[in-house]
Amino acid sequence: MPRVFLFYAFSGLLSLGYQVVWFRIYVDRFGATNLTFALVLCNFILGLGCGGLASRAVTGWLARALRLRDRLRVYGVVELLVGASALLTIATQLIPSGAWGSFPYHLDGRGFYVPNAGYHGSELVLATVCVFVPCFFMGVTFPLLCQVFAAAQRFPSALYAWNTLGACSGVLVLQFALLPHLGHDRSLWLIAVANIVLGAFFVGTGGAPRQATAAEAQPLIAAGAAPASSSVRPAYWLTLAVLSGLLAGALEGDMFKRVAFLGGNSSAAMSFVSFWAILAIFLASWFVRAAPGLRLKHIKVAAALAVACYAMAWQLAYPVRGWFIERDVQSALQAMPELSLADREANVRFPTGSLQLLAYVGMFVFPAFLGMSLLFPYACNRLQSAGRHLGLAFGANTLAFCIGVVGFTLLAPRVNVFYSLKLSMVLLVVGVGLLVALVERQRRWVWKPVVAAACFAVGAGLIDRGFDPAYVIPKSPSRVYPVRALKSNGARTTYVVADPRGDILYFDNHPMSAAAAGGEVYMRLMAHFPLLAQPRPERALLICFGVGNTAAAIAAHDTIQRLDIVDLNDRVFETAPEFAARNGRVDQDSRVRLIHDDGRNFLNVTDQSYDLITSEPPPPMHPGIYRLYSQEYYEQVLAHLTPDGLMAQWLPIYQMPAEAVRLAVTTFLRVFPHALLFTGQSQNYILVGGARAIDVTRIERRFAEQPRVVDDLRRMVASVTTPTALLARIVQGDASLRRGYAAGPVISDQHNQLANLYQSPTEPAGFAYAPQAMLAEIGAERLQGFARLRDAVTHLGRLQYYVKYFPVDSLVSVRGAAARGVTLADVDWRQLRWLRRNCDEAARAGQPAESLRYAKQALAITPELPDQLLRVGAIHLQAGRYRRAEAVLRKLVGLLPEEAVGYSVLATVCIQTGREDQAEQHLRRALTLAPNYAASHYQLGSVLWNRQERERALHHHQRAVDLEPRLVAYRRALALALAGVGRYDEALRQLRAARRIEPGSPIVREAIAEVRRQRRAAARDR
């Protein structure tokens, strides 16, 4: 018997290993879709359940067919069948990816391309063959071994304990040993071979069981059971086995959702859920085996306590999470005293270590599962004591477990995750209530499960299906601001939060994309930069749609003939109209195909080549996202790029451990022969790579050839109005990247090197910056505007003007050789960042005096900060301090003689002080430097109108409206000018458009009244 326990524990380890590698192999093969997850999960658990139900018949047939009387040898044959059938998974990988055609998709009723029935059908067949069959044989083994040792009445609980001990160990072995070192393909080979060896051992050795000891044979008398097997009512205990499976499955399914929802954004989080759950099952089973005084009433109390503990853990979830974060912030305070508190808090991202995550997950999982896992092994012991074959109980329990897991990982979440989290508690309470109410000695108890089912149905109907702010992170925008467009596809619940800074698209509890200005900058630049660097890009592929910023930027290029957008979450396509004001309804563009699939899988099946492939997935450290940063992914991308094509990859280093950043960059460089790195916005970096050297002179040439692109950059990315402002964002060229990152390990699909990395608040990631070296590496001397670019990047104050959020970690790295020929390299940029941030926040809060104070403190550190000079000048101007404003703005013009903004604001000072001739000179200079600067057109139009040069004034007012059609002030000025020359209908059309932009605007209402008054007066004069 000890031998059987030991080897069955090993079998449990192998079974857990199969489950893990199957998930990863099928994701590689068919993508990380809901269907892939459901097929693997359902076939795994259904296989176990069906195997349990058929155990007696299958083992009997094998014994007769092979003429084996020794049931342990039959067990060995079953283990051989498990290992052999598992190897079918390897064989299916030989099927070519093009077997389903080059575009195996069809249009559904929503206008989205979805995989066709043949493709889904093949996925179903392969999952059934490769997962269901070996799991079917796994399910045969538990009832078989219990039958072998039928005389040992406590054997089932002991066997179950050993098996789960092996599975619990398997979680750790897989997570920290096999997958990191062997990868999932080799791990599958190793597991299958080990399974075959295990089976061969039992086939070769067999052995009849020894006689059970008195303690093992004792029919649970001390536990309150009647000594005669006839006192056991099989139907009652079978019902409890089913109830146990349903509650355990629902609990585990809910735990997976809950832990992910709470912020366990690590690939290890789900493994830790399995670890704690299986550890709890092991201890519960062993306790049932070792505690002769255990009675069913004790199990009922334990189940009730489990539900109470689970509910309490949810109430403590955010306070405990906050405690962990605060502790990490305090550690960072001690380790990094030179950083501000805000910077330290920004560097802390929960979790920061495996032990922290393990403890946090354990708080949820272990107590609840421990109390809930006593029932099934106890029921098995009772049935064993009655001489019943356990195949029916084991199979029914497993099938019920499958219903519970699927119900709360796929079905209930299709309403939304908030509904699912509440419904799970209803089921647990009703289920435990049923368990308490069921009494074996009662003759008529069958009506109680019916009543319990009715109670659950009523509860399911009464639960609110809307957004519930009580479940989201405290102080997050989703709790503070209104929420709309709540949708769910089962895997993710999406909704839009109306943050005043810009609407945010949430997935469950995590902001994923936004229309806010900061995020919009890098999202659009990751399209504009690589497309402008190509001679004539025609086809683009965008993986992950978000709110549509990147897609809209791609569509702004008039050379683009086809834009394929692939997203795993079809709900983001449905949510696109919520962001129409920012994405320009790109989802309705005739050039666009919206494809609902995994991006990696789409690259597997398509033979199309693209000029641009860009991906904007969830952050890299989120579970499963490593596949969009792996070497295999980049190899697929490179194979689908045209000769001049480029790949743009989002790299949010503020959300990544330093080692993860190194791995990501090294992986990118390992595949792409040429690359560069630029900042999209602060620490949202963009890697650009291709087969050929990236020619930045094309960006300069094509900038003026793409008026829609220039307009998009001007309106949506306000700081990028010239090629200089775009090229100044480059942080490292190809040579610098390869010096720092060419050597070292890479991210692979097989190993997922990001899985066990956590962000340390004391070791933030960053990229070194050497302006002179960067200019040489990108061949900037070939640019017509080389001098202007050189002046911009070698004066860090000017650089901060051209690139408002140039990353401070790069600025502070300009030291030593990198600082040669660079102005302001010795400035405390961290202190300046703090001052500038406070200055901006005070300005947004409507506190000009406070904003001015911070701006002056920044200028006291160094007066050569154009952005702060502009801020100070604007504040003085608004306050009517024209002399001070003019003095400051002349300093600004001296620092930026080739930029229009200083001249334009200086012209405003001249207008306010009655010097319209000087104002006109400044405005013409501004328009010479920036012909598309709307503010200058608006101001010049006003100056010319005052001089009675009405036609020229109308021209400039019209130009201002064309450039900034959503600015009501510009439309109002144009309307009044049109009315001034008698074009009243046109004037009213402009004002009606302004009213649609700002309903209820008093200045628009007054202007409409004025135009109508003028029209009536003109009519009377006629």
Side-chain angles (χ1 to χ4, degrees), residues 583-860:
N583 63 37
R585 302 189 184 278
V586 66
D587 54 304
Q588 299 177 20
D589 193 309
S590 61
R591 298 169 295 171
V592 169
R593 291 192 300 189
L594 301 175
I595 302 166
H596 175 215
D597 199 3
D598 177 273
R600 287 287 305 274
N601 190 56
F602 178 76
L603 286 173
N604 277 338
V605 300
T606 186
D607 59 0
Q608 180 65 61
S609 294
Y610 296 94
D611 299 296
L612 171 67
I613 299 178
T614 180
S615 58
E616 190 191 326
M621 305 311 293
H622 278 232
I625 304 303
Y626 73 94
R627 298 177 63 253
L628 293 178
Y629 289 82
S630 70
Q631 180 173 347
E632 292 87 346
Y633 170 55
Y634 291 140
E635 288 171 348
Q636 285 181 303
V637 168
L638 186 60
H640 286 84
L641 285 177
T642 59
D644 284 317
L646 292 173
M647 161 70 177
Q649 177 70 72
W650 178 47
L651 196 67
I653 70 168
Y654 64 99
Q655 301 187 49
M656 302 172 66
E659 180 59 24
V661 173
R662 173 170 289 279
L663 283 166
V665 178
T666 301
T667 307
F668 194 87
L669 297 176
R670 189 69 54 86
V671 175
F672 293 100
H674 299 277
L676 61 76
L677 175 81
F678 72 91
T679 173
Q681 185 264 348
S682 188
Q683 291 186 308
N684 287 293
Y685 289 92
I686 311 296
L687 280 165
V688 179
R692 296 178 179 174
I694 301 168
D695 184 358
V696 296
T697 62
R698 282 189 187 139
I699 294 178
E700 185 181 53
R701 291 195 305 271
R702 296 193 67 240
F703 200 87
E705 297 172 2
Q706 295 288 314
R708 288 182 60 200
V709 172
V710 173
D711 182 62
D712 188 73
L713 287 167
R714 178 181 50 78
R715 288 188 299 108
M716 303 299 190
V717 191
S719 60
V720 179
T721 56
T722 63
T724 298
L726 185 56
L727 295 172
R729 293 176 172 272
I730 300 174
V731 177
Q732 290 192 16
D734 188 77
S736 292
L737 283 172
R738 295 188 188 279
R739 279 195 301 270
Y741 298 95
V746 298
I747 303 168
S748 71
D749 289 346
Q750 288 289 324
H751 301 281
N752 183 12
Q753 283 78 1
L754 303 182
N756 299 316
L757 297 180
Y758 298 89
Q759 194 165 357
S760 169
T762 59
E763 297 179 5
F767 289 104
Y769 184 52
Q772 300 282 17
M774 181 274 292
L775 291 171
E777 290 170 8
I778 66 172
E781 68 281 354
R782 295 176 292 130
L783 294 165
Q784 291 183 359
F786 168 65
R788 191 174 182 182
L789 178 61
R790 181 195 59 209
D791 291 345
V793 302
T794 57
H795 186 292
L796 300 187
R798 292 196 190 106
L799 179 61
Q800 283 283 283
Y801 167 78
Y802 283 108
V803 187
K804 184 176 181 181
Y805 296 104
F806 197 92
V808 171
D809 56 270
S810 294
L811 292 176
V812 298
S813 72
V814 185
R815 297 289 185 269
R820 292 174 187 168
V822 178
T823 305
L824 304 186
D826 57 346
V827 166
D828 185 352
W829 287 105
R830 296 193 189 279
Q831 175 68 9
L832 279 174
R833 176 175 62 176
W834 181 79
L835 290 170
R836 295 168 72 214
R837 179 187 295 156
N838 289 342
C839 180
D840 290 344
E841 290 177 355
R844 282 195 295 268
Q847 300 171 334
E850 192 71 3
S851 180
L852 179 61
R853 183 171 69 85
Y854 284 118
K856 286 183 174 180
Q857 289 180 23
L859 290 170

